[in-house]
Coordinates of all heavy atoms in Angstrom, one line a residue:
M1 N 56.2 134.2 80.7 CA 57.1 134.2 81.9 C 57.8 132.8 81.8 O 57.3 131.8 81.4 CB 56.3 134.3 83.2 CG 57.1 134.1 84.4 SD 56.2 134.4 85.9 CE 57.0 135.9 86.5
E2 N 59.0 132.9 82.3 CA 59.9 131.7 82.3 C 59.3 130.6 83.3 O 58.7 131.0 84.3 CB 61.3 132.2 82.8 CG 62.4 131.1 82.7 CD 63.7 131.7 82.9 OE1 63.8 132.7 83.7 OE2 64.7 131.2 82.4
K3 N 59.6 129.4 83.0 CA 59.2 128.3 83.9 C 60.3 128.0 84.9 O 61.5 128.3 84.6 CB 58.9 127.0 83.0 CG 57.7 127.2 82.1 CD 57.5 125.9 81.4 CE 57.0 124.9 82.3 NZ 56.6 123.6 81.7
F4 N 59.9 127.4 86.0 CA 60.9 127.0 87.0 C 62.0 126.2 86.5 O 63.2 126.4 86.7 CB 60.2 126.3 88.2 CG 61.1 125.8 89.3 CD1 61.6 126.6 90.2 CD2 61.5 124.5 89.3 CE1 62.4 126.2 91.2 CE2 62.4 124.0 90.3 CZ 62.8 124.9 91.2
C5 N 61.7 125.1 85.7 CA 62.7 124.2 85.2 C 63.6 124.9 84.3 O 64.8 124.6 84.3 CB 62.0 123.0 84.6 SG 61.1 123.3 83.1
T6 N 63.2 125.8 83.5 CA 64.0 126.6 82.5 C 65.0 127.4 83.3 O 66.2 127.5 83.0 CB 63.2 127.4 81.6 OG1 62.2 126.6 81.0 CG2 64.0 128.1 80.5
F7 N 64.5 128.1 84.3 CA 65.4 129.0 85.1 C 66.4 128.1 85.8 O 67.6 128.4 85.8 CB 64.5 129.8 86.2 CG 65.3 130.7 87.0 CD1 65.6 132.0 86.6 CD2 65.8 130.3 88.3 CE1 66.4 132.8 87.4 CE2 66.5 131.1 89.1 CZ 66.8 132.4 88.7
L8 N 66.0 127.0 86.4 CA 66.9 126.1 87.2 C 67.9 125.6 86.2 O 69.1 125.5 86.5 CB 66.1 125.0 87.9 CG 66.9 124.0 88.6 CD1 67.8 124.6 89.7 CD2 66.0 122.9 89.2
N9 N 67.5 125.1 85.1 CA 68.4 124.5 84.1 C 69.5 125.5 83.7 O 70.7 125.2 83.7 CB 67.6 124.1 82.9 CG 68.4 123.1 82.0 OD1 69.5 123.3 81.7 ND2 67.7 122.1 81.5
R10 N 69.1 126.7 83.4 CA 70.0 127.8 83.0 C 71.0 128.1 84.1 O 72.2 128.2 83.8 CB 69.3 129.0 82.6 CG 70.1 130.1 82.1 CD 69.3 131.3 81.4 NE 68.1 131.6 82.1 CZ 68.0 132.5 83.1 NH1 69.1 133.0 83.6 NH2 66.8 132.8 83.6
K11 N 70.5 128.2 85.3 CA 71.4 128.5 86.4 C 72.4 127.4 86.7 O 73.6 127.6 87.1 CB 70.6 128.9 87.7 CG 70.0 130.2 87.5 CD 71.0 131.3 87.3 CE 70.4 132.6 87.0 NZ 71.4 133.6 86.7
C12 N 71.9 126.2 86.6 CA 72.8 125.0 86.9 C 73.9 124.9 85.8 O 75.1 124.6 86.1 CB 72.0 123.7 86.9 SG 71.1 123.5 88.4
K13 N 73.5 125.1 84.6 CA 74.5 125.0 83.5 C 75.5 126.1 83.5 O 76.6 126.0 82.9 CB 73.8 124.9 82.2 CG 73.1 123.5 82.0 CD 72.5 123.3 80.7 CE 71.9 121.9 80.6 NZ 71.2 121.7 79.3
T14 N 75.2 127.3 84.0 CA 76.1 128.4 84.0 C 76.9 128.5 85.3 O 77.8 129.3 85.5 CB 75.4 129.7 83.7 OG1 74.4 130.0 84.7 CG2 74.8 129.8 82.4
N15 N 76.6 127.6 86.3 CA 77.3 127.6 87.6 C 78.7 127.0 87.4 O 78.9 126.2 86.6 CB 76.5 126.8 88.6 CG 76.9 127.0 90.0 OD1 77.9 126.4 90.4 ND2 76.2 127.9 90.7
V16 N 79.6 127.5 88.2 CA 81.0 127.0 88.2 C 81.1 125.5 88.6 O 82.0 124.8 88.2 CB 82.0 127.9 89.0 CG1 82.1 129.2 88.4 CG2 81.6 127.9 90.4
N17 N 80.1 125.1 89.5 CA 80.1 123.7 90.0 C 79.4 122.8 89.0 O 78.6 123.2 88.2 CB 79.4 123.6 91.3 CG 80.2 124.4 92.4 OD1 81.4 124.2 92.5 ND2 79.4 125.1 93.2
S18 N 79.8 121.5 89.1 CA 79.1 120.5 88.2 C 77.7 120.3 88.7 O 77.4 120.6 89.9 CB 79.9 119.2 88.3 OG 79.8 118.6 89.5
I19 N 76.9 119.7 87.9 CA 75.5 119.3 88.3 C 75.5 118.4 89.5 O 74.7 118.6 90.4 CB 74.8 118.7 87.1 CG1 74.8 119.6 85.9 CG2 73.3 118.3 87.5 CD1 74.0 120.9 86.0
R20 N 76.5 117.5 89.5 CA 76.6 116.5 90.6 C 76.9 117.3 91.9 O 76.4 117.0 93.0 CB 77.6 115.5 90.4 CG 77.2 114.4 89.4 CD 78.2 113.3 89.3 NE 77.8 112.4 88.2 CZ 76.9 111.4 88.3 NH1 76.2 111.3 89.4 NH2 76.6 110.7 87.3
K21 N 77.8 118.2 91.8 CA 78.2 119.0 93.0 C 77.1 119.9 93.5 O 76.8 120.0 94.7 CB 79.4 119.9 92.7 CG 79.8 120.8 93.8 CD 81.2 120.4 94.3 CE 81.5 121.3 95.5 NZ 82.8 121.4 95.9
I22 N 76.3 120.5 92.6 CA 75.2 121.3 93.0 C 74.1 120.4 93.7 O 73.6 120.8 94.7 CB 74.5 121.9 91.8 CG1 75.5 123.0 91.2 CG2 73.2 122.6 92.1 CD1 75.1 123.5 89.8
A23 N 73.9 119.2 93.2 CA 73.0 118.2 93.8 C 73.5 117.9 95.2 O 72.7 117.9 96.2 CB 72.8 117.0 93.0
N24 N 74.7 117.6 95.3 CA 75.3 117.2 96.6 C 75.2 118.4 97.6 O 74.8 118.2 98.8 CB 76.8 116.8 96.4 CG 77.4 116.3 97.7 OD1 76.7 115.7 98.5 ND2 78.7 116.5 97.8
L25 N 75.5 119.6 97.2 CA 75.4 120.8 98.1 C 73.9 121.0 98.4 O 73.6 121.6 99.5 CB 76.0 122.0 97.4 CG 77.5 122.0 97.2 CD1 77.9 123.2 96.3 CD2 78.2 122.1 98.5
S26 N 73.0 120.7 97.5 CA 71.6 120.9 97.8 C 70.9 119.8 98.6 O 69.8 119.8 98.9 CB 70.8 120.9 96.4 OG 71.3 122.0 95.6
K27 N 71.7 118.7 98.9 CA 71.3 117.6 99.7 C 70.2 116.8 99.0 O 69.2 116.3 99.6 CB 70.8 118.0 101.1 CG 71.9 118.7 101.8 CD 71.5 119.2 103.2 CE 72.7 119.9 103.8 NZ 72.3 120.8 104.8
I28 N 70.3 116.7 97.6 CA 69.4 115.9 96.8 C 70.2 115.0 95.9 O 71.4 115.2 95.8 CB 68.4 116.8 96.0 CG1 69.2 117.7 95.1 CG2 67.5 117.6 96.9 CD1 68.3 118.5 94.1
T29 N 69.6 114.1 95.3 CA 70.3 113.2 94.4 C 70.5 113.9 93.0 O 69.7 114.7 92.6 CB 69.6 111.8 94.2 OG1 68.3 112.1 93.5 CG2 69.3 111.1 95.5
H30 N 71.5 113.4 92.3 CA 71.8 113.9 91.0 C 70.6 113.6 90.0 O 70.2 114.6 89.3 CB 73.1 113.3 90.5 CG 73.5 113.6 89.1 ND1 73.4 112.7 88.1 CD2 73.9 114.8 88.6 CE1 73.8 113.3 87.0 NE2 74.1 114.6 87.2
P31 N 70.0 112.4 90.0 CA 68.9 112.2 89.1 C 67.7 113.1 89.4 O 67.0 113.5 88.5 CB 68.6 110.7 89.3 CG 69.8 110.1 89.8 CD 70.5 111.2 90.6
Y32 N 67.5 113.3 90.7 CA 66.3 114.2 91.1 C 66.6 115.6 90.6 O 65.7 116.3 90.0 CB 66.1 114.2 92.6 CG 65.0 115.0 93.1 CD1 63.7 114.8 92.6 CD2 65.2 116.1 93.9 CE1 62.6 115.6 93.1 CE2 64.1 116.9 94.4 CZ 62.8 116.6 93.9 OH 61.8 117.4 94.3
L33 N 67.8 116.1 90.7 CA 68.1 117.5 90.2 C 67.9 117.5 88.7 O 67.3 118.5 88.1 CB 69.5 117.9 90.6 CG 69.9 119.3 90.1 CD1 69.0 120.4 90.6 CD2 71.4 119.6 90.5
L34 N 68.3 116.5 88.0 CA 68.1 116.4 86.5 C 66.6 116.4 86.2 O 66.2 117.1 85.2 CB 68.8 115.2 85.9 CG 70.4 115.3 85.9 CD1 70.9 113.9 85.4 CD2 70.9 116.4 85.1
D35 N 65.9 115.7 87.0 CA 64.4 115.7 86.7 C 63.8 117.1 86.9 O 62.9 117.5 86.2 CB 63.7 114.7 87.7 CG 63.9 113.2 87.2 OD1 64.3 113.0 86.1 OD2 63.6 112.3 88.1
L36 N 64.3 117.8 87.9 CA 63.8 119.1 88.2 C 64.2 120.1 87.0 O 63.4 120.9 86.5 CB 64.4 119.7 89.5 CG 63.8 119.1 90.8 CD1 64.7 119.6 92.0 CD2 62.4 119.4 91.0
M37 N 65.4 119.9 86.6 CA 65.9 120.8 85.5 C 65.2 120.5 84.2 O 65.1 121.4 83.4 CB 67.4 120.5 85.3 CG 68.3 121.0 86.4 SD 70.0 120.4 86.3 CE 70.5 121.1 84.7
N38 N 64.8 119.3 84.0 CA 64.1 118.9 82.7 C 62.6 119.0 82.8 O 61.9 118.6 81.9 CB 64.6 117.6 82.3 CG 66.0 117.6 81.8 OD1 66.4 118.5 81.0 ND2 66.9 116.8 82.4
G39 N 62.0 119.4 83.9 CA 60.6 119.6 84.1 C 59.8 118.3 84.3 O 58.6 118.3 84.2
R40 N 60.6 117.2 84.6 CA 59.9 115.9 84.9 C 59.3 115.8 86.3 O 58.5 115.0 86.6 CB 60.9 114.8 84.6 CG 61.2 114.6 83.1 CD 62.0 113.4 82.8 NE 63.3 113.4 83.4 CZ 64.4 113.7 82.8 NH1 64.4 114.1 81.5 NH2 65.6 113.7 83.4
K41 N 59.8 116.7 87.2 CA 59.3 116.8 88.5 C 58.8 118.2 88.8 O 59.4 119.2 88.3 CB 60.4 116.4 89.5 CG 60.9 115.0 89.5 CD 59.9 114.1 90.1 CE 60.5 112.7 90.1 NZ 59.6 111.7 90.7
N42 N 57.8 118.3 89.6 CA 57.4 119.7 90.1 C 58.4 120.3 91.0 O 59.2 119.6 91.6 CB 56.0 119.5 90.8 CG 54.9 119.2 89.9 OD1 54.9 119.5 88.7 ND2 53.9 118.4 90.4
P43 N 58.4 121.6 91.1 CA 59.3 122.3 92.1 C 59.2 121.6 93.4 O 58.1 121.2 93.9 CB 58.8 123.7 92.1 CG 58.2 123.9 90.8 CD 57.5 122.6 90.4
P44 N 60.3 121.5 94.1 CA 60.4 120.8 95.4 C 59.8 121.6 96.5 O 59.4 122.8 96.3 CB 61.9 120.6 95.6 CG 62.5 121.7 94.9 CD 61.7 122.0 93.7
D45 N 59.8 121.1 97.7 CA 59.4 121.8 98.9 C 60.3 123.0 99.2 O 61.4 123.0 98.7 CB 59.3 120.9 100.1 CG 60.6 120.2 100.5 OD1 61.6 121.0 100.6 OD2 60.7 119.0 100.7
I46 N 59.9 123.8 100.1 CA 60.6 125.1 100.3 C 62.0 124.8 100.9 O 63.0 125.5 100.5 CB 59.8 126.1 101.2 CG1 60.5 127.4 101.2 CG2 59.7 125.5 102.6 CD1 60.6 128.1 99.9
K47 N 62.2 123.8 101.7 CA 63.5 123.5 102.3 C 64.5 123.2 101.2 O 65.6 123.6 101.2 CB 63.4 122.4 103.3 CG 64.7 122.1 104.0 CD 64.5 121.0 105.0 CE 65.8 120.6 105.6 NZ 65.7 119.5 106.6
T48 N 64.0 122.3 100.3 CA 64.9 121.9 99.2 C 65.2 123.1 98.2 O 66.3 123.3 97.7 CB 64.3 120.7 98.4 OG1 64.0 119.7 99.3 CG2 65.2 120.2 97.3
Q49 N 64.2 123.9 98.0 CA 64.4 125.1 97.2 C 65.5 126.0 97.8 O 66.3 126.5 97.1 CB 63.1 126.0 97.1 CG 62.0 125.3 96.3 CD 60.7 126.1 96.3 OE1 60.8 127.4 96.3 NE2 59.6 125.5 96.4
I50 N 65.4 126.2 99.1 CA 66.4 127.0 99.8 C 67.8 126.4 99.6 O 68.8 127.1 99.3 CB 66.1 127.2 101.3 CG1 64.8 128.1 101.4 CG2 67.2 127.8 102.0 CD1 64.2 128.1 102.8
N51 N 67.9 125.1 99.8 CA 69.2 124.4 99.6 C 69.7 124.6 98.2 O 70.9 124.8 98.0 CB 69.0 122.9 99.9 CG 68.9 122.6 101.4 OD1 69.1 123.4 102.2 ND2 68.4 121.4 101.7
I52 N 68.8 124.4 97.2 CA 69.3 124.6 95.8 C 69.7 126.1 95.5 O 70.8 126.3 94.9 CB 68.1 124.2 94.8 CG1 67.9 122.7 94.9 CG2 68.5 124.6 93.4 CD1 66.6 122.3 94.2
A53 N 68.9 127.0 96.0 CA 69.3 128.4 95.8 C 70.6 128.7 96.4 O 71.5 129.5 95.8 CB 68.2 129.3 96.4
N54 N 70.9 128.2 97.6 CA 72.2 128.4 98.3 C 73.3 127.7 97.5 O 74.4 128.3 97.4 CB 72.1 127.9 99.7 CG 71.3 128.8 100.6 OD1 71.1 130.0 100.3 ND2 70.7 128.3 101.7
A55 N 73.1 126.5 97.0 CA 74.1 125.8 96.3 C 74.5 126.5 95.0 O 75.6 126.5 94.6 CB 73.6 124.4 96.0
L56 N 73.5 127.2 94.4 CA 73.7 127.9 93.2 C 74.3 129.3 93.4 O 74.6 130.0 92.5 CB 72.4 128.0 92.4 CG 71.9 126.7 91.8 CD1 70.5 126.9 91.2 CD2 72.8 126.2 90.7
E57 N 74.3 129.7 94.7 CA 74.7 131.0 95.1 C 74.0 132.1 94.3 O 74.6 133.0 93.7 CB 76.2 131.2 94.9 CG 77.0 130.2 95.8 CD 78.5 130.3 95.6 OE1 79.0 130.9 94.6 OE2 79.2 129.6 96.4
L58 N 72.7 132.0 94.3 CA 71.8 133.0 93.6 C 71.9 134.3 94.3 O 71.9 134.4 95.5 CB 70.4 132.5 93.5 CG 70.1 131.2 92.8 CD1 68.6 130.8 92.9 CD2 70.6 131.3 91.3
S59 N 71.8 135.4 93.5 CA 71.7 136.7 94.0 C 70.3 136.9 94.6 O 69.4 136.1 94.4 CB 72.0 137.8 92.9 OG 70.9 137.8 92.0
S60 N 70.2 138.0 95.4 CA 68.9 138.3 96.0 C 67.8 138.4 94.9 O 66.7 137.9 95.1 CB 68.9 139.6 96.8 OG 69.8 139.4 97.9
K61 N 68.1 139.1 93.8 CA 67.1 139.2 92.7 C 66.8 137.9 92.1 O 65.6 137.6 91.8 CB 67.7 140.2 91.7 CG 66.8 140.5 90.6 CD 67.4 141.5 89.6 CE 66.4 141.9 88.5 NZ 66.9 142.9 87.6
E62 N 67.8 137.0 91.9 CA 67.6 135.7 91.3 C 66.8 134.8 92.3 O 65.9 134.0 91.8 CB 68.9 135.0 91.0 CG 69.7 135.7 89.9 CD 71.1 135.1 89.7 OE1 71.7 134.8 90.8 OE2 71.6 135.1 88.6
K63 N 67.0 135.0 93.6 CA 66.2 134.2 94.5 C 64.7 134.5 94.5 O 63.9 133.7 94.6 CB 66.7 134.4 96.0 CG 68.0 133.7 96.3 CD 68.5 133.9 97.7 CE 69.8 133.2 98.0 NZ 70.2 133.4 99.3
V64 N 64.4 135.8 94.3 CA 63.0 136.2 94.2 C 62.4 135.6 93.0 O 61.3 135.0 93.1 CB 62.9 137.8 94.1 CG1 61.5 138.2 93.7 CG2 63.3 138.4 95.4
I65 N 63.1 135.6 91.9 CA 62.6 134.9 90.7 C 62.4 133.4 90.9 O 61.4 132.8 90.6 CB 63.5 135.2 89.5 CG1 63.5 136.7 89.1 CG2 63.1 134.4 88.2 CD1 64.6 137.1 88.2
F66 N 63.4 132.8 91.4 CA 63.5 131.3 91.7 C 62.3 130.9 92.6 O 61.5 130.0 92.2 CB 64.8 131.0 92.4 CG 65.0 129.6 92.7 CD1 65.4 128.6 91.7 CD2 64.9 129.1 94.0 CE1 65.6 127.3 92.0 CE2 65.1 127.8 94.3 CZ 65.4 126.9 93.3
F67 N 62.1 131.6 93.7 CA 61.0 131.2 94.6 C 59.7 131.6 94.1 O 58.7 130.8 94.3 CB 61.2 131.9 96.0 CG 62.4 131.4 96.8 CD1 63.4 132.2 97.2 CD2 62.6 130.0 97.0 CE1 64.5 131.8 97.9 CE2 63.7 129.5 97.7 CZ 64.7 130.4 98.2
D68 N 59.6 132.7 93.3 CA 58.3 133.0 92.7 C 57.8 132.0 91.7 O 56.7 131.6 91.6 CB 58.3 134.4 92.1 CG 58.2 135.5 93.2 OD1 58.0 135.2 94.4 OD2 58.4 136.7 92.8
L69 N 58.8 131.6 90.8 CA 58.5 130.6 89.8 C 58.1 129.3 90.4 O 57.1 128.6 90.0 CB 59.7 130.4 88.9 CG 60.0 131.5 87.9 CD1 61.4 131.2 87.3 CD2 58.9 131.7 86.9
A70 N 58.8 128.9 91.5 CA 58.4 127.6 92.2 C 57.0 127.7 92.8 O 56.2 126.8 92.7 CB 59.5 127.3 93.2
A71 N 56.8 128.8 93.5 CA 55.5 129.0 94.1 C 54.3 129.0 93.1 O 53.3 128.4 93.3 CB 55.5 130.3 94.9
K72 N 54.6 129.7 92.0 CA 53.5 129.7 90.9 C 53.2 128.3 90.4 O 52.0 128.0 90.3 CB 54.0 130.6 89.8 CG 53.0 130.7 88.7 CD 53.5 131.5 87.5 CE 52.5 131.5 86.4 NZ 53.0 132.0 85.2
E73 N 54.2 127.5 90.2 CA 54.0 126.2 89.7 C 53.5 125.2 90.7 O 52.8 124.3 90.4 CB 55.3 125.6 89.1 CG 55.6 126.4 87.8 CD 56.8 125.8 87.0 OE1 57.0 124.6 87.1 OE2 57.4 126.6 86.3
R74 N 53.7 125.5 92.0 CA 53.2 124.7 93.1 C 51.8 125.2 93.5 O 51.2 124.7 94.4 CB 54.2 124.7 94.3 CG 55.4 123.9 94.1 CD 56.4 124.0 95.2 NE 55.8 123.5 96.5 CZ 55.9 122.3 96.9 NH1 56.5 121.4 96.2 NH2 55.4 121.9 98.0
R75 N 51.4 126.3 92.9 CA 50.2 127.0 93.2 C 50.1 127.4 94.7 O 49.1 127.2 95.4 CB 49.0 126.2 92.9 CG 48.9 125.9 91.4 CD 47.6 125.3 91.0 NE 47.4 125.2 89.6 CZ 47.4 124.1 88.9 NH1 47.5 122.9 89.5 NH2 47.3 124.1 87.6
R76 N 51.2 128.0 95.1 CA 51.3 128.5 96.5 C 51.6 130.0 96.4 O 52.0 130.5 95.4 CB 52.5 127.9 97.2 CG 52.5 126.4 97.3 CD 51.5 125.9 98.3 NE 51.2 124.5 98.2 CZ 51.7 123.6 99.0 NH1 52.5 123.9 100.0 NH2 51.3 122.3 98.9
I77 N 51.4 130.7 97.5 CA 51.7 132.1 97.6 C 53.2 132.2 97.7 O 53.8 131.6 98.5 CB 51.0 132.7 98.8 CG1 49.5 132.7 98.7 CG2 51.5 134.2 99.0 CD1 48.7 133.1 99.9
A78 N 53.8 133.1 96.9 CA 55.2 133.3 96.9 C 55.6 134.0 98.1 O 55.0 134.9 98.6 CB 55.6 134.1 95.7
G79 N 56.7 133.5 98.7 CA 57.3 134.1 99.9 C 58.7 134.6 99.6 O 59.3 134.1 98.6
R80 N 59.2 135.5 100.3 CA 60.5 136.0 100.1 C 61.5 135.3 101.1 O 61.4 135.6 102.3 CB 60.6 137.5 100.3 CG 59.6 138.2 99.4 CD 60.0 138.1 98.0 NE 59.2 139.0 97.1 CZ 58.5 138.5 96.1 NH1 58.5 137.3 95.8 NH2 57.7 139.4 95.4
Y81 N 62.3 134.4 100.6 CA 63.2 133.6 101.4 C 64.6 134.0 101.2 O 65.4 133.3 100.6 CB 63.0 132.1 101.2 CG 61.6 131.6 101.4 CD1 60.7 131.5 100.4 CD2 61.3 131.3 102.7 CE1 59.4 131.1 100.7 CE2 60.0 130.9 103.0 CZ 59.1 130.8 102.0 OH 57.8 130.4 102.3
L82 N 64.9 135.3 101.5 CA 66.2 135.8 101.2 C 66.9 135.8 102.5 O 68.0 135.9 102.8 CB 66.1 137.3 100.7 CG 65.2 137.4 99.4 CD1 65.1 138.9 99.1 CD2 65.7 136.6 98.3

């Protein structure tokens, strides 16, 4: 199964917005987003996850994958935040 950082990295790099703009829209710093993308930080709290998912304009299916991967790595029960 794909890792959270791999999924996030792929989605950020294929997004029409720059990494800096995605970070800004997500209300996080650019270095923090890069750390998440490169697996140097664990998946963030749910509020930040929602902000990132919205900034990336993920589809409903992509959101399920995104939140499930984050929950798995945080060892939390996955919730559906659609």
Side-chain angles (χ1 to χ4, degrees):
M1 177 174 246
E2 190 171 31
K3 292 181 72 175
F4 175 82
C5 64
T6 307
F7 182 86
L8 177 61
N9 195 318
R10 182 169 40 85
K11 288 300 171 185
C12 284
K13 288 185 177 178
T14 60
N15 193 279
V16 296
N17 292 317
S18 70
I19 304 295
R20 286 187 187 279
K21 175 115 185 195
I22 294 167
N24 187 29
L25 292 170
S26 302
K27 301 176 184 158
I28 58 176
T29 65
H30 177 251
Y32 181 60
L33 180 57
L34 289 175
D35 283 345
L36 290 171
M37 290 171 60
N38 291 308
R40 290 188 295 261
K41 296 281 185 181
N42 291 328
D45 61 49
I46 190 61
K47 183 178 176 183
T48 303
Q49 290 175 40
I50 292 168
N51 289 342
I52 294 170
N54 289 336
L56 291 172
E57 299 177 350
L58 298 178
S59 69
S60 294
K61 185 176 181 179
E62 291 170 328
K63 284 181 182 180
V64 169
I65 295 166
F66 180 79
F67 292 124
D68 284 351
L69 290 171
K72 180 181 177 192
E73 290 185 32
R74 289 175 61 90
R75 295 189 174 116
R76 303 283 167 105
I77 297 173
R80 303 292 187 236
Y81 300 96
L82 307 174

